[in-house]
């Protein structure tokens, strides 16, 4: 038997399940999250120091003009691209007295952090290591990248109390 003709206003509308939109968003977001840049780093020997967690949680999302990217190891952070990243590792061996260049770098608020600054001869990378703070923090800046943004880490690094100074 044929169905009676109904005006289109009487045809029941198809309504998606309320969770369908949530699943659609999740289906799109999951692959995008998997594509987020990630860099493989090695945790420092003292990365489990509780102050390292405070330091890493306080680092900025941008370092100069570099966006933060995901780092794979505990107590680490990175900015830039996986091919050319500024990296931070908290919990490195605290340096003792040294003849390497050590300088106090102050930010606009006057907060100052003492850094030992060494250029690696093999790569040309600059390595900044906090001096007089435990846990110690190492920041590696690739050759050709400005190290000026290291000052943006002062607030985070200051979570570790300073016990010695460069001079």
């Amino acid at each position: 038997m044929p169905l009676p003709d109904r005006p289109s206003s009487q045809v029941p509308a198809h309504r998606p399940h309320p969770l369908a939109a949530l699943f659609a968003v999740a289906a799109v977001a999951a692959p995008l999250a998997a594509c987020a840049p990630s860099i493989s780093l090695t945790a420092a020997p003292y990365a489990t120091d509780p102050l390292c967690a405070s330091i890493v949680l306080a680092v900025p999302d941008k370092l100069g003009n570099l966006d933060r990217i995901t780092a794979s190891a505990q107590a680490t952070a990175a900015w830039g691209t996986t091919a050319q990243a500024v990296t931070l590792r908290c919990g490195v061996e605290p340096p003792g007295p040294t003849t390497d260049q050590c300088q106090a770098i102050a930010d606009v608020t006057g907060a100052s952090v003492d850094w030992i600054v060494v250029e690696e001869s093999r790569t040309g990378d600059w390595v900044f290591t906090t001096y007089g703070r435990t846990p110690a923090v190492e920041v590696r800046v690739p050759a050709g990248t400005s190290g000026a943004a290291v000052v943006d880490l002062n607030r985070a690094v200051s979570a570790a109390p300073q016990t010695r100074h460069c001079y």
Side-chain angles (χ1 to χ4, degrees):
M1 168 152 60
L3 294 173
D5 289 333
R6 289 195 233 179
S8 61
S9 63
Q10 293 180 355
V11 175
H14 172 69
R15 297 200 179 170
H17 190 277
L19 294 177
L22 177 64
F23 290 127
V25 169
V28 171
L32 291 178
C35 294
S38 179
I39 188 166
S40 179
L41 298 174
T42 302
Y46 306 107
T48 58
D49 186 309
L51 283 175
C52 282
S54 298
I55 290 168
V56 171
L57 287 172
V59 298
D61 289 334
K62 285 186 88 65
L63 194 61
N65 63 347
L66 303 174
D67 291 322
R68 188 167 176 185
I69 59 175
T70 304
S72 63
Q74 180 176 358
T76 61
W79 298 264
T81 66
T82 55
Q84 188 84 357
V86 173
T87 61
L88 176 146
R89 294 186 325 136
C90 183
V92 298
E93 187 69 40
T98 181
T99 57
D100 290 331
Q101 178 184 352
C102 188
Q103 65 185 83
I105 301 176
D107 65 18
V108 295
T109 68
S112 181
V113 173
D114 291 354
W115 296 92
I116 296 173
V117 184
V118 177
E119 182 180 13
E120 280 195 343
S121 59
R122 184 178 56 83
T123 62
D125 292 354
W126 288 94
V127 180
F128 294 76
T129 307
T130 55
Y131 180 77
R133 293 180 187 268
T134 302
V137 173
E138 173 192 272
V139 177
R140 182 173 295 273
V141 179
T145 302
S146 172
V150 169
V151 72
D152 294 342
L153 297 170
N154 277 10
R155 187 180 64 79
V157 168
S158 293
Q162 184 145 15
T163 57
R164 293 179 298 177
H165 295 277
C166 284
Y167 306 103

